[in-house]
DNA sequence: AAGTGGTCTAGACCACCCC
DNA sequence: GGGTGGTCTAGACCACTTG
């Protein structure tokens, strides 16, 4: 592994374990570069990762302050970025595969993904049950050129582990949109909604590989009372 | 301004104007460093900003690919990070100040913000009307030690412009949480909800300055049919 | 004045892609 | 093999904080 990633991982571990408590300063960049026997720029790359994950905040002339991340059950552990997916994995949840089949790409889907109409895609429908109550429906469409096989056993555990570990795909970035939509009868049944619940939260994502090809379109449908999205955002000045 | 920020701004402008069209390659880092007369590491810092905003994707051995950002009306222009706030400003909207007064910090608020109980804070309630329809209620609490004055005229335009430009505050980062909550009578009236609308989307944010002090807590309450949150996320492997 | 982080450089070597 | 991005270095100068 790269030096700066190793240093990042080490510092993260020490922050989470309390060795560097929140609201205290990390050792200075100069000290860290001596401690790890690397140049200062390498230390700075590691610190930048900590900044991006919201673990520290730097102050010129002062130092690197360890942030307190317990205000909102902050989604920590470096597993962020596709947070709502990961979050649902952390809780005690059961995944059930409702449907898994190859379909022809419809014009609607083609417009979103850029895949040719009538080319092959996997359609995967799963429900996530949390503490015995159905909470989420995930509808995934995957480019069958990129994902040739899709074993039911694997996707009932973790789709992303299968894609990254078994298939070796390098998932890189996603565009996503969160809205609230009217519930359809099918969704109402799957989520066991009562009659006065007419809405669901829908998270639509387009997911891309490192080579910029779009390989997945997902709609993740959440019961209102089960939905929660937590984010850390840095102010971006232009 | 710093060299790398200037270069970032220049490249962003050229990408948005179509001078570097999507799905083409930028000049190589070596070429760019010669074009701008800077070292390669400086170019790489500028490119990192473009990566974070989702404008380009790099590929080792290949180059920097300009991404296509029109899939979801991608929230572009460097104004991201507090996106939902900005988005609502872009649309043709009217802000109305409902309430603006100093209050004593309650135990509940103190727990969220860390401000001492009974210390002074501003409470600011505003509604945002989009195309004639009430869409959002913003309830802001601001630390009165950091924000001594709060002119109604200013906050009916842009609270953040007032804080950053007039007061010179350096807003740095935020933790936020999106959930769906039951509607209260007060909210129902302000948002002019019909009787079968029982929920609203609530975005709760804790906002921090560069010196890591928390100066603002906000609840932004959205009508379900008016809510939309768009995000660009990079996969973070650890 | 001393120490901190912020920026920038010139050069090195490596991994990857493509011809 | 030549070009690309990825990592790393040693050193420089600047801006900011603190005593």
């Amino acid at each position: 592994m790269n030096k700066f990633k190793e240093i990042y991982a080490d510092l993260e571990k020490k922050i989470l374990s309390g060795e560097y408590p929140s609201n205290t300063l990390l050792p200075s960049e100069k000290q860290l570069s001596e401690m790890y026997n690397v140049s200062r720029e390498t230390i700075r790359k590691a610190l930048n990762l900590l900044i991006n994950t919201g673990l520290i905040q730097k102050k010129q002339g002062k130092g690197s302050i360890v942030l307190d991340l317990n205000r909102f059950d902050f989604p920590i552990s470096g597993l962020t970025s596709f947070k709502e997916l990961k979050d649902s994995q952390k809780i005690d949840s059961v995944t059930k595969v409702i449907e898994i089949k190859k379909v022809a790409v419809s014009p609607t889907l083609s417009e979103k993904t850029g895949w040719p109409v009538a080319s092959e895609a996997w359609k995967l429908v799963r429900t996530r049950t949390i503490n015995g109550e159905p909470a989420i429906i995930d509808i995934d469409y995957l480019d069958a050129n990129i994902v040739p096989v899709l074993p039911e056993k694997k996707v009932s555990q973790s789709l992303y582990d299968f894609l990254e570990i078994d298939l070796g795909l390098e998932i890189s970035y996603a565009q996503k949109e969160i809205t609230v939509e009217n519930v359809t009868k099918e969704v109402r049944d799957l989520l066991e909604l009562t009659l006065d619940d007419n809405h669901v939260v829908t998270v639509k994502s387009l997911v891309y590989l490192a080579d910029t090809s779009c390989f997945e379109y997902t709609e993740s449908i959440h019961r209102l009372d089960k939905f929660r999205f937590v984010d850390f955002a840095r102010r971006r000045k232009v």
Side-chain angles (χ1 to χ4, degrees), chain A:
Chain A
M1 194 159 40
N2 307 323
K3 290 188 186 178
F4 77 95
K5 284 183 186 162
E6 271 175 24
I7 294 168
Y8 164 74
D10 191 55
L11 291 173
E12 182 196 42
K13 193 184 67 191
K14 288 179 175 164
I15 289 173
L16 295 179
S17 74
E19 189 165 336
Y20 296 130
S22 55
N23 297 315
T24 65
L25 293 176
L26 289 185
S28 74
E29 294 180 352
K30 187 164 178 296
Q31 287 173 321
L32 287 170
S33 69
E34 285 160 2
M35 286 163 61
Y36 288 99
N37 265 306
V38 297
S39 74
R40 194 176 143 222
E41 284 288 358
T42 301
I43 291 294
R44 286 176 59 75
K45 281 182 187 166
L47 294 182
N48 274 336
L49 294 179
L50 293 173
I51 290 173
N52 286 336
T53 48
L55 283 164
I56 66 167
Q57 167 80 5
K58 295 216 274 191
K59 196 77 205 296
Q60 196 172 154
K62 202 69 179 302
S64 301
I65 303 161
V66 179
L67 294 182
D68 177 17
L69 16 90
N70 294 326
R71 291 259 181 248
F72 272 140
D73 290 318
F74 193 53
I76 199 50
S77 83
L79 288 177
T80 45
S81 112
F82 293 88
K83 298 188 190 73
E84 68 291 354
L85 297 175
K86 301 289 179 180
D87 277 7
S88 54
Q89 286 171 11
K90 271 188 224 160
I91 314 170
D92 177 34
S93 69
V94 178
T95 301
K96 188 170 146 194
V97 177
I98 303 292
E99 184 181 342
I100 178 170
K101 65 173 179 189
K102 276 194 183 171
V103 297
V105 171
S106 70
T108 325
L109 183 58
S110 169
E111 198 180 339
K112 291 180 199 289
T113 59
W115 302 338
V117 173
S119 64
E120 281 195 322
W122 287 99
K123 180 181 183 185
L124 171 63
V125 180
R126 291 172 296 171
T127 58
R128 315 263 185 180
T129 304
I130 297 176
N131 302 328
E133 283 189 295
I136 306 175
I137 305 172
D138 277 340
I139 304 173
D140 293 276
Y141 294 92
L142 298 141
D143 186 337
N145 293 311
I146 295 173
V147 184
V149 291
L150 199 59
E152 176 161 351
K153 194 162 193 171
K154 293 284 187 178
V155 301
S156 65
Q157 290 156 26
S158 168
L159 176 60
Y160 273 53
D161 280 354
F162 171 68
L163 296 173
E164 289 188 316
I165 297 171
D166 297 356
L167 293 188
L169 296 179
E170 199 181 340
I171 297 165
S172 182
Y173 59 97
Q175 295 175 20
K176 60 181 68 177
E177 178 192 50
I178 304 176
T179 54
V180 178
E181 304 202 345
N182 287 319
V183 67
T184 62
K185 188 182 173 309
E186 192 187 357
V187 167
R188 180 185 298 282
D189 292 343
L190 283 172
L191 288 183
E192 297 176 13
L193 298 179
T194 60
L195 278 176
D196 52 319
D197 248 348
N198 291 316
H199 295 95
V200 283
V201 177
T202 305
V203 182
K204 297 175 185 168
S205 309
L206 286 167
V207 191
Y208 296 80
L209 300 179
D211 66 1
T212 76
S213 59
C214 174
F215 83 103
E216 181 188 19
Y217 171 74
T218 300
E219 295 194 4
S220 188
I221 301 169
H222 300 244
R223 258 175 62 169
L224 294 185
D225 57 328
K226 299 291 183 191
F227 178 76
R228 183 162 179 274
F229 180 87
V230 184
D231 197 18
F232 176 85
R234 286 203 171 264
R235 180 77 160 159
R236 193 173 280 152
K237 311 231 174 85
V238 183

